[in-house]
Amino acid sequence: MSVTTNATTSASAFARAQSVIPGGVNSPVRAYGNVGGTPRFLASAQGAYVTDVDGNEYVDLVGSWGPALLGHAHPQVVEAVREAAGRGLSFGAPTVTEVDLVDEIRSRVPPAEKVRLVSTGTEATMTALRLARAFTGRDLVVKFAGCYHGHVDALLASAGSGVATLGLPDSAGVSAAVAGETIVVPYNDVEAVEAVFAEHGERIAAVITEAAPANMGVVPPLPGYNAALRRITLAHGALLIQDEVLTGFRVGYSGWWGLEGLREGWSADLHTFGKVIGGGLPVAAVGGRRDVMSLLAPVGPVYQAGTLSGNPVATAAGLATLRLADADVYTRVDAVAAQLRAELTTALSAEGVPHAVQWGGNLFSTFFGAGVAAQGARDYASVLATESWRYAPFFHSLLESGVYAPPSPFEAWFVSAAHDDAAVDRIVSALPAAVRAAAQATAP
């Protein structure tokens, strides 16, 4: 299938944006820095499709980076937003819808005994860290290389040499002192975590991890890995924070906890949520043990506030989305994801491109290279060793065929309940040419 798109208006819009917005975008991945070319400026979205300002229609595999579980502009979600907006856009006072949304979250993840709504995933993880430090009276935090938890200063740190190292700033403007309170270890390495606790255990407030990492591509936890983190943190009096901003209520009715912790009989102390709980509008949350959450102001000494937290329009969108996300929705999303993973594997194998298609629930991504084909990507180092340079031509071929994939090799692919057979067929038809482009790519 060939659709060859025109990007003239997008190019003009991007040039204008670059003159007034740093980099021309308000979140870096949108700039196409990993793939090159002209970012498509989107004008509308419906179901499984997005349309850009030049009138090109694409099957969407980004889904607003997760929230569009039901598909874009679901009629009942739109109606809930319309009704809420008609009652007022913001009050700066409590609303019943906030409580309803929290009750829905708690019903799906009972270990979130109390929940505080915020506006972004970054706010949620920042609040979780503050709570953990207040509760334990300790300062150090352990995170994993390749896991992203928003642009919190203390978490913008990368691994150094050796098994573990005190973090070094990974962004200008983050002080060495702040980053130095973060210990970064390789993901999926229980021995590294045990070694860190053997040396620093009395000073570690928390371990924070993506429940199933999807910000370095999808690198799922090895069997028993999250349970081991639970065991180690309990043994040393530290808290376990599971970041489910991406996976929460996306990979299943109760998120990753429902796929793993519920089945195995354990839970984290704190959970962070986002994306799906806002249905496309900015809502996130931190929830967890009652004794930990009760440290938050106004009942406790940990201050956190937000003028737009629990916004009535945003919470209406999130509540409608969660109430519509029933077993049939997850069955459809899982089935589409499984079909596309199989089609990707078949197409890449037919062209002789070494690869690994990895998944966590219905999130998935493709890595290129003989090394990853043989051993898989288990941590950030193995992700960085892949042939990521094959992704740009692969991406642009899909785009030219009317398929909007993530504009980075290090992001998850998202499908929705609105991806019907026609949408899937368009993706499958676009794969042979995209795979040939990946096969013909040369290393820089």
Side-chain angles (χ1 to χ4, degrees):
M1 177 180 183
S2 178
V3 177
T4 305
T5 62
N6 167 36
T8 303
T9 308
S10 279
S12 176
F14 188 45
R16 178 183 168 218
Q18 288 176 302
S19 70
V20 293
I21 299 172
V25 294
N26 286 306
S27 192
V29 73
R30 302 175 191 174
Y32 282 25
N34 287 115
V35 295
T38 300
R40 299 306 194 263
F41 277 58
L42 298 186
S44 64
Q46 183 67 54
Y49 300 89
V50 293
T51 302
D52 68 20
V53 291
D54 288 285
N56 302 304
E57 180 189 78
Y58 310 88
V59 179
D60 186 23
L61 291 170
V62 176
S64 192
W65 304 105
L69 175 67
L70 306 174
H72 293 288
H74 189 285
Q76 289 172 258
V77 176
V78 171
E79 183 57 29
V81 169
R82 183 179 292 113
E83 289 181 359
R87 294 190 295 269
L89 299 180
S90 183
F91 305 131
T95 68
V96 172
T97 311
E98 296 171 67
V99 186
D100 290 341
L101 179 57
V102 165
D103 277 344
E104 183 69 27
I105 292 168
R106 291 179 64 250
S107 72
R108 289 167 172 250
V109 184
E113 295 175 324
K114 286 200 170 185
V115 175
R116 171 64 61 86
L117 297 179
V118 294
S119 296
T120 67
T122 293
E123 287 181 82
T125 55
M126 177 181 68
T127 303
L129 290 191
R130 191 174 297 166
L131 279 167
R133 287 177 165 137
F135 186 81
T136 62
R138 304 171 181 178
D139 292 331
L140 296 182
V141 172
V142 175
K143 77 169 290 271
F144 300 100
C147 286
Y148 177 69
H149 305 287
H151 57 97
V152 182
D153 279 7
L155 298 178
L156 286 176
S158 295
S161 60
V163 172
T165 181
L166 291 180
L168 298 175
D170 202 32
S171 169
V174 177
S175 72
V178 169
E181 292 184 338
T182 303
I183 301 174
V184 185
V185 298
Y187 188 68
N188 268 330
D189 188 338
V190 174
E191 289 184 0
V193 179
E194 289 175 330
V196 162
F197 271 91
E199 182 175 355
H200 302 287
E202 293 183 354
R203 299 176 57 207
I204 295 173
V207 171
I208 184 169
T209 181
E210 287 186 73
N215 283 287
M216 51 178 155
V218 177
V219 179
L222 294 174
Y225 182 70
N226 281 330
L229 298 183
R230 174 71 291 182
R231 170 181 56 79
I232 294 167
T233 50
L234 281 174
H236 291 271
L239 300 190
L240 176 62
I241 304 168
Q242 285 218 313
D243 183 345
E244 291 222 46
V245 168
L246 267 181
T247 56
F249 317 118
R250 153 58 68 169
V251 298
Y253 184 84
S254 298
W256 193 264
W257 175 80
L259 300 181
E260 190 178 70
L262 177 61
R263 186 182 70 252
E264 297 174 354
W266 59 267
S267 65
D269 301 292
L270 292 169
H271 308 255
T272 60
F273 306 108
K275 310 294 186 183
V276 170
I277 70 166
L281 295 183
V283 179
V286 56
R289 286 168 39 187
R290 184 178 302 272
D291 56 341
V292 180
M293 293 297 296
S294 293
L295 291 177
L296 281 173
V299 293
V302 176
Y303 193 73
Q304 182 277 329
T307 299
L308 296 179
S309 295
N311 174 270
V313 180
T315 51
L319 183 61
T321 298
L322 286 181
R323 286 178 171 172
L324 289 164
D326 58 14
D328 289 343
V329 164
Y330 292 109
T331 297
R332 177 60 188 172
V333 174
D334 289 350
V336 172
Q339 181 180 354
L340 290 179
R341 294 197 308 265
E343 296 286 358
L344 273 165
T345 298
T346 298
L348 288 161
S349 298
E351 199 66 36
V353 181
H355 69 280
V357 178
Q358 297 194 172
W359 68 92
N362 51 48
L363 302 178
F364 61 96
S365 57
T366 301
F367 298 103
F368 300 113
V372 74
Q375 299 179 353
R378 295 176 48 166
D379 56 24
Y380 193 39
S382 55
V383 167
L384 293 179
T386 62
E387 296 175 354
S388 57
W389 41 269
R390 293 190 187 277
Y391 188 79
F394 178 73
F395 165 84
H396 281 288
S397 177
L398 289 174
L399 195 68
E400 290 300 308
S401 294
V403 177
Y404 190 80
S408 167
F410 307 117
E411 299 286 355
W413 290 27
F414 299 88
V415 296
S416 78
H419 280 69
D420 58 12
D421 292 346
V424 172
D425 287 346
R426 183 186 292 191
I427 299 167
V428 172
S429 296
L431 287 178
V435 167
R436 284 194 296 273
Q440 295 166 5
T442 56

